[in-house]
Amino acid sequence: MWIVDDSPLDIERAQRALADRYAVETFSDGSAMLEQLAARGAPDVLVLDWVMPGVSGIEVCRFLRAGGMVGPRPAILLLTMQTETQQIVEGLAAGANDYVVKPYAGPELQARVDALVRWNGLLERAQRAEANVVQLLEYAPDPLIRVDSVCRVSNVNAEAQRALGEDAPALLGRPITDVLPSLTVRAMSDAARTSLPLLDIQIGEQLFSPTVRSLPGDADAGFTIALRDVTERRQKESRRLDFYSMIAHDLRSPLGAMLMRIEMMLRGRRGVLPAEVIGDLRKMDGHMRRLVELINDFLDFAQMEEAAHKMERSRVDLAELIAEIVDDFKPLVENTSQAITVDLSQKEIVSLGDRRRLQQVLTNLVANAIKFTPPGGNIVIRARAIGRWWEVSVDDDGPGISPEVLPQLFQRYTRAPDREVAASGTGLGLLIVREIVEAHGGTVGVDSTRGKGSRFWFRLPAEDHVDDAAGLPAALP
């Protein structure tokens, strides 16, 4: 610790207050201290008198904070007679970390210096953490791009330079939307806040799956984009999906032909059939239709494996979507004397996502509610805000579900075995609902009481909050 003061009396007072805890060196003017600073480097703390002949304390502050030295900068405590607010503001603006007004008590000076030493320790730890993050970025196997608070590239590792085909000097300072044009600031903001998967991006001949995260060193510097090379994986997924589609087509074609022939026989095109034969044909027709349903659900589920990186990101009004689905189901519930009620907390309920997939979620849940609600029963669709989320729920007054079954409902190939209503289904419907909702950064759930009906719900991020991620602007400057 260095004390710089032109008053021998003040130097002696400061030494008495600090010598028990710190190794203290003293200087009588600023120029002598700066010579030692250039030769030996800076101490942890500089205690500077504001007014001195030659180079004053305030001038030393301005010199150090303006980049007049190499290496770590010391914490600065100004000793001053100034008490006017404007003068104190001037000293702090010049670069001082704190100040003490003369005359001061020794314990006050000691406490102020102790606080600056602690501050220095925290700063050093933060700098080490940031250095570790930079090193992690540099040696990571994936391309990593750090972006500052105004969405400009602040650091790129070697893998990112290779993937982008440009070296660091050509990339640093550029808007991220210039470097990765297919990524919008809104999409990155949404992904950073909700962990919502981003669409794949193509760079040259390669496909990359981007993720956006705030790392420890990024608290004031924006965020970090990681690019995982998924070229080979996407090719395999595409081949597998093509294979599934081919199998589904080859199975549906003969099943469709058989269903047509059964329908012809049931209509009497092959003459009058005995009642037993008609009964058997109806059973065969039902089983084959369930097999077609299984094939369709299987293919739909297979497609969900690549849905997350192909989902559209557009503005979806859930209130409007609910109204369309209720209208689609109106003829069905009229035949069963069921009633569908819609309860919305407001007229516009907007989220970002794939409209077709969200329509699939709502259709599935409403169809299930109709299936398990008795004739004359009620189905209620609600939408409300819960914090940063929209929650949409579908309530029925069916038989309900036993507590031990509830945790399994959104798992693979699971259907409630104790429903009191005969129901067809593959058990894939709710799994597909879960996959779609989670691909949108949301969650699903069910509440049910045996004999009192069930409530299936899902939550999606509200569009109003997609720009709330810390450090992410709504648009580039």
Side-chain angles (χ1 to χ4, degrees):
M1 172 176 306
W2 294 357
I3 301 171
V4 187
D5 199 315
D6 63 327
S7 167
L9 186 61
D10 286 341
I11 283 182
E12 184 182 353
R13 182 185 300 117
Q15 277 184 305
R16 281 200 307 269
L18 301 172
D20 289 345
R21 295 197 184 189
Y22 303 103
V24 177
E25 288 190 49
T26 63
F27 300 87
S28 59
D29 63 76
S31 55
M33 183 276 294
L34 290 174
E35 288 178 8
Q36 289 300 310
L37 194 68
R40 298 161 51 190
D44 291 334
V45 179
L46 270 178
V47 179
L48 290 173
D49 187 23
W50 182 311
V51 178
M52 292 184 292
V55 180
S56 68
I58 195 75
E59 289 171 334
V60 170
C61 281
R62 293 190 179 115
F63 173 77
L64 296 180
R65 298 315 189 209
M69 62 169 290
V70 178
R73 297 179 183 180
I76 298 175
L77 178 69
L78 273 179
L79 304 177
T80 179
M81 300 283 293
Q82 314 287 354
T83 58
E84 295 293 329
T85 299
Q86 184 177 352
Q87 294 165 331
I88 292 169
V89 169
E90 180 188 357
L92 295 175
N97 299 96
D98 201 356
Y99 69 95
V100 174
V101 177
K102 293 181 178 182
Y104 52 81
E108 180 187 2
L109 180 65
Q110 187 181 86
R112 300 276 188 178
V113 170
D114 289 346
L116 289 179
V117 169
R118 288 195 300 273
W119 177 85
N120 256 356
L122 291 173
L123 179 60
E124 185 179 349
R125 286 170 58 189
Q127 289 171 337
R128 281 201 304 267
E130 185 173 6
N132 289 337
V133 170
V134 171
Q135 189 175 31
L136 173 66
L137 296 182
E138 185 58 36
Y139 293 105
D142 291 332
L144 297 175
I145 305 170
R146 292 181 78 191
V147 178
D148 64 21
S149 58
V150 292
C151 287
R152 295 184 182 275
V153 177
S154 61
N155 187 276
V156 287
N157 69 351
E159 287 299 321
Q161 294 173 57
R162 276 193 285 272
L164 295 168
E166 297 185 78
D167 57 15
L171 294 166
L172 297 181
R174 286 170 59 186
I176 187 60
T177 50
D178 180 24
V179 176
L180 300 174
S182 57
L183 280 183
T184 65
V185 172
R186 164 158 287 191
M188 288 184 282
S189 171
D190 197 15
R193 182 178 64 83
T194 65
S195 300
L196 183 68
L198 288 164
L199 301 180
D200 287 350
I201 59 176
Q202 185 161 357
I203 302 174
E205 299 298 319
Q206 293 177 293
L207 276 177
F208 292 90
S209 175
T211 55
V212 180
R213 294 289 184 272
S214 292
L215 295 180
D218 292 338
D220 297 320
F223 53 94
T224 297
I225 303 170
L227 301 175
R228 174 64 55 88
D229 188 343
V230 292
T231 308
E232 186 176 350
R233 192 207 304 182
R234 297 294 185 250
Q235 289 171 348
K236 288 180 179 178
E237 288 173 355
S238 181
R239 287 194 295 268
R240 184 168 64 248
L241 186 58
D242 287 345
F243 176 68
Y244 291 158
S245 300
M246 182 177 64
I247 291 176
H249 177 268
D250 289 348
L251 287 173
R252 280 185 297 206
S253 295
L255 282 171
M258 286 189 284
L259 285 169
M260 286 178 60
R261 290 184 179 278
I262 289 174
E263 186 177 355
M264 289 173 61
M265 287 189 281
L266 289 173
R267 289 183 176 183
R269 298 289 182 88
R270 295 294 184 263
V272 178
L273 301 175
E276 296 83 356
V277 174
I278 291 176
D280 288 341
L281 287 173
R282 291 194 187 282
K283 289 179 182 177
M284 290 171 60
D285 181 80
H287 288 312
M288 279 191 281
R289 290 186 187 280
R290 280 194 289 274
L291 186 55
V292 171
E293 183 182 348
L294 174 61
I295 293 167
N296 290 337
D297 279 354
F298 171 76
L299 185 58
D300 208 2
F301 177 65
Q303 290 173 330
M304 284 307 303
E305 292 184 2
E306 58 176 3
H309 57 269
K310 287 190 174 180
M311 287 215 181
E312 294 181 7
R313 296 285 181 265
S314 59
R315 192 174 181 272
V316 180
D317 187 341
L318 297 175
E320 182 182 288
L321 198 57
I322 289 169
E324 289 179 13
I325 289 165
V326 170
D327 191 58
D328 289 342
F329 278 108
K330 192 174 291 183
L332 179 60
V333 297
E334 285 175 354
N335 289 336
T336 59
S337 301
Q338 294 168 324
I340 298 182
T341 305
V342 177
D343 180 9
L344 306 180
S345 63
Q346 58 191 74
K347 292 181 179 179
E348 230 185 34
I349 301 172
V350 178
S351 185
L352 292 179
D354 189 312
R355 194 179 196 280
R356 183 177 68 86
R357 290 295 187 180
L358 293 177
Q359 183 178 38
Q360 187 178 1
V361 167
L362 278 164
T363 299
N364 199 315
L365 295 181
V366 174
N368 273 353
I370 292 171
K371 184 187 299 180
F372 293 109
T373 297
N378 295 297
I379 297 148
V380 181
I381 305 172
R382 292 186 174 89
R384 57 176 179 155
I386 298 182
R388 303 160 67 94
W389 305 85
W390 286 119
E391 181 185 90
V392 179
S393 62
V394 181
D395 297 49
D396 66 62
D397 53 8
I401 308 166
S402 296
E404 61 270 16
V405 177
L406 290 177
Q408 307 169 22
L409 280 180
F410 290 97
Q411 304 304 313
R412 191 168 299 195
Y413 312 124
T414 299
R415 184 158 46 91
D418 60 341
R419 288 281 204 174
E420 294 177 352
V421 179
S424 63
T426 63
L428 286 173
L430 291 177
L431 176 61
I432 291 171
V433 166
R434 190 197 75 188
E435 294 286 331
I436 294 173
V437 172
E438 289 183 353
H440 282 77
T443 56
V444 296
V446 57
D447 306 308
S448 185
T449 303
R450 194 80 169 115
K452 294 186 178 179
S454 303
R455 174 178 175 269
F456 287 82
W457 55 266
F458 64 92
R459 291 174 185 169
L460 297 174
E463 188 208 25
D464 290 346
H465 297 288
V466 296
D467 296 321
D468 287 351
L472 300 182
L476 286 170

